[in-house]
Amino acid sequence: MTDRILGVQALRALAACLVLFSHIHYIEMRDHAEAAVPVFLLYGYSGVDLFFVISGFVMVLVTRGRLGSKTQAGSFLFSRFARIYPTYWLFCGLAALAFAFTGSLAVKLEAGNLAASLALWPSDATMFLGLAWTLVHEMYFYLVFTLFILLPGRFLPFLLAGWAAMVVGGQALGAGEARPVIRLIFDPLTLEFIAGAVVGLLLTSGRRAGAHVALALGLAGLILGMGAIGPEQATTGTATNWPRTLIFAPACALIVYGAVGLELDHGWRAPGWAVRLGDWSYSLYLGHFLVISALSRLWAPVSAYGTLWDNVLAAIVMAGASVMLAWLAFTFFERPVIGAAARLRSRIFAARKPEGGRIASRIW
């Protein structure tokens, strides 16, 4: 069975759109406009939590049957670096052009650590591309999972349990107040990646009971969580990451479990438009804030005085332009780079390339 599960792409589209509309609502509040985007979507940053759970699931999916190999560990890490960094650097370049145009480039460079930002290294300095803090977490997840790949697959459940225990124990000992690298290692958001990996173990081993119920409960939990978490949690940092993890990790894990289970066992197929939007989701995530920030500058003089319908139109234009940039970036940069990296990886790691293990038939 292919590693590409269409429902996962649809969930990536959902996650990216949640973050997109969260930021559109933020722009509306900043500019004192009559909100066209519902206020609860301010907490659409929960799309990040969904992305993290998806990442954990995908890591288990793509490495099934390939654990216990140095070659496969190297191949995995190469593919993750090639997937994350080139497109990220592209949008850093676009951001630099935007900052230069607005005269704020020098301020951004002074306020941040450019080398740490480009390397996605944890730092207390401001990230050059603000959304990149999530990629710092992603790269940490990938580095740890690369170490797990070196060991036989039978150890993976115990490694994940030990990793989760380490995070909880570190937080109990005050690691959340330590230097950036230590804070990253013990950040509660890591539990979302681990939750996704546990979902992956259940699904690929055939333990897929109650997919409909799981999806319904997960979506309900996500919506209720977005309404209940409160504005004081609309930031990042370990002080707030515990509440968001406890609220969104279970909901997002149930969503992934349910959506994938429905596809594997009940013939559900995500709509084509959602799959395509999921394909563009990384570029959409990285580029949307540049787009809506630029358009908001044009709209700001009238946004505070316009009608609600004017602001609805502005929100539609911002979302549409963000999707258009994502499509352009994916079509003409991201997809070609991924293809070139895959060909290079196949040459570098061609000596040993075992077939991935099959997804087990349903046993629950």
Side-chain angles (χ1 to χ4, degrees):
M1 184 177 290
T2 178
D3 289 339
R4 182 175 167 87
I5 295 178
L6 300 183
V8 170
Q9 295 305 97
L11 293 180
R12 283 178 167 142
L14 172 62
C17 287
L18 284 171
V19 177
L20 166 63
F21 284 104
S22 170
H23 286 144
I24 290 177
H25 184 78
Y26 165 79
I27 292 291
E28 290 176 330
M29 292 193 305
R30 186 196 67 184
D31 294 341
H32 307 290
E34 188 174 359
V37 175
V39 66
F40 82 93
L41 279 177
L42 173 62
Y43 313 115
Y45 65 79
S46 57
V48 169
D49 305 271
L50 181 54
F51 271 130
F52 285 167
V53 173
I54 291 171
S55 290
F57 165 74
V58 170
M59 294 309 98
V60 170
L61 178 69
V62 301
T63 59
R64 67 193 190 283
R66 297 170 180 164
L67 300 180
S69 165
K70 293 180 181 179
T71 300
Q72 290 305 306
S75 175
F76 170 82
L77 192 59
F78 179 92
S79 69
R80 293 299 94 195
F81 272 61
R83 183 72 181 88
I84 295 295
Y85 280 104
T87 302
Y88 166 61
W89 289 333
L90 168 69
F91 281 99
C92 283
L94 294 177
L97 292 176
F99 296 147
F101 181 77
T102 59
S104 60
L105 180 59
V107 175
K108 290 290 292 186
L109 292 174
E110 184 178 349
N113 183 330
L114 183 61
S117 289
L118 294 177
L120 295 175
W121 183 258
S123 170
D124 283 327
T126 302
M127 298 296 291
F128 188 74
L129 194 64
L131 291 164
W133 71 268
T134 63
L135 302 185
V136 175
H137 284 268
E138 289 281 356
M139 292 311 303
Y140 167 61
F141 301 156
Y142 298 155
L143 289 170
V144 173
F145 206 81
T146 299
L147 297 178
F148 291 174
I149 295 174
L150 296 173
L151 298 174
R154 64 181 180 274
F155 293 117
L156 184 56
F158 305 102
L159 293 170
L160 292 172
W163 194 10
M166 184 188 77
V167 171
V168 174
Q171 283 290 304
L173 295 174
E177 305 300 324
R179 63 183 61 184
V181 173
I182 302 301
R183 289 203 306 270
L184 174 67
I185 292 173
F186 294 102
D187 196 297
L189 290 176
T190 299
L191 298 175
E192 296 181 336
F193 180 87
I194 296 171
V198 171
V199 169
L201 289 174
L202 291 172
L203 290 169
T204 57
S205 64
R207 295 167 173 84
R208 299 192 290 269
H212 297 85
V213 175
L215 181 59
L217 289 175
L219 290 172
L222 183 67
I223 294 169
L224 292 174
M226 288 167 60
I229 195 167
E232 68 277 6
Q233 305 301 342
T235 56
T236 59
T238 53
T240 56
N241 283 349
W242 266 119
R244 72 181 287 176
T245 299
L246 293 174
I247 289 174
F248 292 127
C252 293
L254 286 169
I255 289 171
V256 174
Y257 182 90
V260 175
L262 286 177
E263 180 168 341
L264 293 178
D265 298 320
H266 301 279
W268 176 76
R269 291 292 181 269
W273 62 266
V275 174
R276 289 189 293 273
L277 189 56
D279 291 341
W280 312 337
S281 60
Y282 184 44
S283 289
L284 178 59
Y285 177 75
L286 290 176
H288 75 273
F289 202 77
L290 297 175
V291 173
I292 64 177
S293 295
L295 291 177
S296 70
R297 286 177 172 267
L298 300 176
W299 192 251
V302 299
S303 62
Y305 307 102
T307 67
L308 173 61
W309 293 110
D310 293 331
N311 294 326
V312 169
L313 176 62
I316 293 172
V317 170
M318 288 179 182
S322 298
V323 171
M324 179 60 69
L325 176 62
W327 171 75
L328 289 170
F330 175 80
T331 302
F332 297 105
F333 183 85
E334 186 180 351
R335 182 166 58 187
V337 167
I338 292 172
R343 292 189 292 273
L344 179 60
R345 183 184 61 169
S346 67
R347 290 197 293 269
I348 295 174
F349 301 100
R352 292 171 57 192
K353 187 178 179 182
E355 293 295 326
R358 293 181 59 85
I359 296 178
S361 299
R362 180 179 172 184
I363 60 175
W364 283 2

